[in-house]
Amino acid sequence: MTNETVLIAGGYGVVGSQIARLLRERYPEIEILLGGRSPGQGKELAEELGRAAAVRLDLSRPNPLAGLERRPTIVLGAVNDIDDNLMLDAISAHIPYIDITRWTERMRGSILRAAMEDTSGAPVVFASSWMAATIGILVRDMAAGFRQVDRIEVGILYAAKDKSGPNSVEYMDRMALPFEVREEGREVMAYPFRKGIKTDFPGVGRFPLYRFDTPDQMTLPSITGARSVSARIGFDDRTSGPFLSFLVRSGLWGLISGERFRKLRHGLMYNPGEGGAHRVRIDIEGEGAHGPARESWIVTDSQGQTHLTATGAMIQLDRLLRQGTHQAGIQVAETVTDAETARRIMNEEGISVDRLAQMEDAA
């Protein structure tokens, strides 16, 4: 492990810097490369971390790894790899690759693109579901106690004052576009930010949550066998959700679509604060050991969504660093990650997973 060198693309950004600090704390002996187009911005962080360097990395160019003086042994993408250049370069060089940035359509396309390459040399890990697949890993573990899963609901309460990086609002550009989900065993189209559903977050209140597109709605049906899976998001300021819903339903969001109005859209939605708790409610319905069952959990990260994402990335790095000999090929993080280890790391990072209810009728 002393010879490991981890490259974090976007390593001095809001999420990337947190990943780097978690990695250094847990693995003091490894080398860390902080990749980005302006390496000078990462120099101070590299000095803070020790055994680290800020390096120039431009993902808009083919073969972005070619310019590095030091060959990484693991590559983690914490910034959008729009053209798959980093992924393809890592595959070609047989370097383990982890991504935490792709939305559903891009994740699906990248998996298909990776499948056309020779991935026998190293793992290609897609951990792009909500908060670097932390929620999907937990859901898979929770659903294992059901004989049959009928419905999974993932409800996200986003803190208006939470820290965030520019990439966190990229999905807003797709906010008015329909997306595919599983409902009652069938693939149907869902429409984002239409009608809100009031959802209770104990100790905080009830908030309207709205459907939106996340990779969890693609991965969880196949992983758990659930007949229906939905993801919804709301905001703790009680105004952002209804406002976004109005923009979408009225057609105004569509009028400001396109590159010309990109700055305006992001100005409306990208207003990061100094921090706020990130909460996710998980509800699973189905057949338990003795009949119909429903279980509910709340996942809370008091340090916010960027910390939960960084922890999810750390879970995947930890998995590869501890494996020694890597299992090669395309991997979806939710399917290959040990849930017990993930829970332990989350607990060590102060992330709580609390069961709210367990209701099961006796046979």
Side-chain angles (χ1 to χ4, degrees):
M1 191 177 299
T2 55
N3 295 323
E4 296 281 4
T5 299
V6 176
L7 167 66
I8 304 174
Y12 47 84
V14 177
V15 174
S17 60
Q18 291 185 67
I19 297 170
R21 290 187 176 100
L22 289 176
L23 183 59
R24 171 56 71 234
E25 180 181 331
R26 291 177 177 274
Y27 291 93
E29 72 279 17
I30 69 170
E31 299 284 341
I32 300 175
L33 302 179
L34 308 172
R37 287 186 290 185
S38 303
Q41 296 179 16
K43 183 178 179 181
E44 183 177 344
L45 176 60
E47 292 174 350
E48 172 196 326
L49 295 171
R51 298 180 65 84
V55 298
R56 179 168 176 76
L57 188 72
D58 187 353
L59 304 194
S60 68
R61 298 174 178 271
N63 309 115
L65 299 176
L68 299 180
E69 295 182 3
R70 193 179 316 170
R71 174 189 168 96
T73 56
I74 296 178
V75 172
L76 185 139
V79 67
N80 286 325
D81 184 17
I82 297 294
D83 298 311
D84 292 327
N85 288 329
L86 183 61
M87 179 189 77
L88 294 174
D89 206 4
I91 290 173
S92 177
H94 303 301
I95 300 172
Y97 172 79
I98 304 167
D99 178 79
I100 63 170
T101 67
R102 286 168 168 80
W103 57 81
T104 309
E105 183 179 314
R106 287 200 56 246
M107 179 172 163
R108 184 182 286 115
S110 296
I111 289 174
L112 292 175
R113 195 167 185 181
M116 299 173 65
E117 306 293 324
D118 178 9
T119 60
S120 63
V124 182
V125 183
F126 293 94
S128 300
S129 297
W130 195 252
M131 302 297 101
T134 51
I135 302 306
I137 293 166
L138 293 173
V139 170
R140 187 205 74 196
D141 186 48
M142 294 163 178
F146 287 73
R147 290 193 303 170
Q148 174 184 310
V149 178
D150 293 328
R151 178 172 292 276
I152 295 172
E153 300 271 357
V154 176
I156 297 154
L157 186 62
Y158 199 105
K161 299 297 184 182
D162 201 354
K163 297 177 183 178
S164 62
N167 288 340
S168 67
V169 295
E170 287 294 329
Y171 75 89
M172 289 297 180
D173 286 340
R174 302 175 46 79
M175 193 168 63
L177 301 178
F179 51 93
E180 192 175 85
V181 298
R182 179 75 61 86
E183 284 287 350
E184 300 299 331
R186 297 182 299 111
E187 305 301 325
V188 300
M189 300 306 293
Y191 294 83
F193 280 88
R194 295 303 198 267
K195 183 180 179 181
I197 293 179
K198 289 287 186 71
T199 301
D200 183 42
F201 289 81
V204 185
R206 289 173 61 82
F207 299 84
L209 304 185
Y210 303 84
R211 293 205 77 152
F212 79 125
D213 190 11
T214 69
D216 308 72
Q217 294 170 112
M218 175 182 73
T219 61
L220 289 177
S222 60
I223 293 171
T224 67
R227 290 176 52 79
S228 300
V229 176
S230 68
R232 291 182 169 84
I233 192 169
F235 302 86
D236 66 355
D237 65 356
R238 298 187 183 277
T239 59
S240 295
F243 175 61
L244 283 174
S245 180
F246 165 74
L247 289 178
V248 173
R249 288 183 289 105
S250 67
L252 291 174
W253 193 263
L255 293 176
I256 59 172
S257 64
E259 189 61 31
R260 179 182 177 186
F261 296 103
R262 180 185 179 89
K263 188 174 181 179
L264 171 61
R265 293 194 309 277
H266 287 201
L268 288 171
M269 295 311 306
Y270 182 51
N271 299 290
E274 293 302 313
H278 189 72
R279 296 176 174 86
V280 181
R281 175 166 177 151
I282 300 167
D283 293 284
I284 304 179
E285 298 177 8
E287 291 291 323
H290 305 292
R294 175 188 173 95
E295 296 185 3
S296 302
W297 292 263
I298 292 284
V299 181
T300 306
D301 190 336
S302 61
Q303 298 183 63
Q305 57 95 11
T306 58
H307 178 256
L308 183 56
T309 303
T311 302
M314 186 63 246
I315 289 168
Q316 296 308 311
L317 286 169
D318 181 82
R319 182 172 69 85
L320 294 189
L321 287 167
R322 290 187 181 279
Q323 273 184 352
T325 301
H326 301 301
Q327 179 183 351
I330 298 169
Q331 303 174 7
V332 176
E334 296 95 307
T335 67
V336 295
T337 305
D338 176 62
E340 183 178 349
T341 301
R343 282 177 178 266
R344 175 181 56 78
I345 293 175
M346 291 172 72
N347 181 65
E348 290 169 354
E349 287 301 316
I351 300 163
S352 64
V353 182
D354 301 306
R355 178 175 289 188
L356 297 181
Q358 182 177 8
M359 297 170 286
E360 183 166 340
D361 298 332

